[in-house]
Amino acid sequence: MTQAERRIQLIQRLSAEQPRYKGIQIPSEETEQKRLLRALLNLRPPQAACADFLKVQDEYLREEIASKGITDLSALSPIAKDIYLWQGDITTLRCDAIVNAANAGLLGCFCPCHGCIDNAIHTYAGIQLRLECAEIMEKQGYAEPVGRAKLTKAYNLPCKYVLHTVGPIVSGKLTQQDCDLLASCYRSCLELAEREDIRSIAFCCISTGEFHFPNERAAEIAIKTVRDYQAQTNSKLEVIFNVFKDFDYEIYRRLLG
């Protein structure tokens, strides 16, 4: 089965699940088909799917990720001891774990084709990730607190695990509490990774963008928290600071020397 055939089949099956999308017209252009499929994946509630659907979805997503180009940690050079700086799409990074900047519901972004990292990670991991997160949240029984971390499988992503953390939302002037909570996100992920015998972890720029944390201050907190953790615990965990935008890359490069 070709990628185009898989994509059309997935669109048909996802749209058939929801009465309001039944009979949806599938665009002829590949780019528009991909947007429609992503939107349907984003909107799908956390629920199980049959093995046949998962087989087609998994084959499709893995080929899509491979076509973007997978970067292996072994191909990167450290910028400091056990610290790396890498600019790229975190869904294409092969390491032990990547960090997702999640929301308090922990179910991923339901906004179709939104540009946040939460949307991208859930899209390319596949529908299994939202279901696992829903099971975690049902067992927990309350919204995920800011500054904590949860571990899930990565499913179709090249990494092994995803660490989900909810960063502080900055409204108005940045406060010390905002800074402390952001530091807690990084430390919670590091501690959880160590407990789970994870050897490498890639951090996105938590709380920047949609959550309005100033980029430079966020980078300062991220780097300080990681370095303090390394010094205090003698950790051998390899840490990748992943950035997507040029100005974030320049900030981290300057701060890391």
Side-chain angles (χ1 to χ4, degrees):
M1 190 183 298
T2 67
Q3 277 296 85
E5 289 169 338
R6 292 186 187 107
R7 185 166 56 247
I8 290 170
Q9 185 179 134
L10 291 170
I11 290 171
Q12 290 171 335
R13 295 181 70 165
L14 286 167
S15 59
E17 286 182 340
Q18 300 290 331
R20 58 179 168 163
Y21 304 129
K22 271 190 176 181
I24 194 169
Q25 186 174 356
I26 300 176
S28 58
E29 293 184 5
E30 179 182 327
T31 302
E32 291 305 308
Q33 287 179 5
K34 288 184 175 183
R35 281 187 60 82
L36 176 56
L37 175 56
R38 180 165 180 164
L40 290 168
L41 289 169
N42 297 158
L43 290 165
R44 189 180 190 271
Q47 59 191 36
C50 67
D52 181 54
F53 175 89
L54 293 177
K55 180 177 184 295
V56 175
Q57 177 213 239
D58 293 353
E59 289 173 350
Y60 178 81
L61 291 176
R62 287 171 187 171
E63 189 162 326
E64 284 296 294
I65 293 169
S67 71
K68 293 193 290 182
I70 294 172
T71 299
D72 197 284
L73 173 59
S74 63
L76 304 182
S77 299
I79 198 166
K81 188 178 185 308
D82 294 328
I83 292 179
Y84 300 77
L85 175 61
W86 179 67
Q87 183 177 18
D89 179 352
I90 202 168
T91 67
T92 65
L93 181 61
R94 181 178 285 124
C95 59
D96 279 0
I98 63 172
V99 173
N100 178 31
N103 57 51
L106 220 69
L107 299 183
C109 173
F110 283 85
C111 181
C113 303
H114 194 254
C116 69
I117 196 167
D118 196 16
N119 188 294
I121 287 173
H122 274 266
T123 296
Y124 288 100
I127 63 171
Q128 301 98 313
L129 180 57
R130 179 167 284 170
L131 181 59
E132 183 179 355
C133 287
E135 290 167 351
I136 290 171
M137 295 306 288
E138 183 178 4
K139 185 176 180 181
Q140 178 166 285
Y142 52 88
E144 181 68 3
V146 176
R148 307 275 184 85
K150 291 287 191 297
L151 177 75
T152 65
K153 297 174 187 175
Y155 298 99
N156 293 295
L157 297 171
C159 58
K160 298 175 185 176
Y161 304 101
V162 179
L163 288 159
H164 306 261
T165 189
V166 182
I169 299 174
V170 177
S171 53
K173 187 178 179 181
L174 186 69
T175 67
Q176 185 59 48
Q177 183 181 35
D178 294 328
C179 297
D180 292 343
L181 287 170
L182 183 60
S184 179
C185 289
Y186 283 91
R187 188 166 188 97
S188 293
C189 288
L190 293 166
E191 290 171 346
L192 180 54
E194 294 271 32
R195 289 199 300 271
E196 297 294 333
D197 199 29
I198 288 168
R199 305 297 178 85
S200 57
I201 179 174
F203 284 104
C204 62
C205 300
I206 302 166
S207 271
T208 59
E210 293 294 317
F211 283 15
H212 309 298
F213 207 106
N215 294 62
E216 177 131 4
R217 185 70 184 111
E220 291 171 352
I221 291 167
I223 293 168
K224 183 179 188 306
T225 305
V226 168
R227 284 181 165 164
D228 285 351
Y229 183 83
Q230 289 175 328
Q232 292 162 6
T233 66
N234 198 30
S235 171
K236 303 301 181 186
L237 188 64
E238 292 184 290
V239 176
I240 307 109
F241 290 112
N242 163 246
V243 298
F244 191 72
K245 298 176 181 177
D246 290 342
F247 67 86
D248 282 318
Y249 180 81
E250 293 303 324
I251 290 170
Y252 272 90
R253 188 175 66 172
R254 173 167 43 82
L255 292 175
L256 287 166

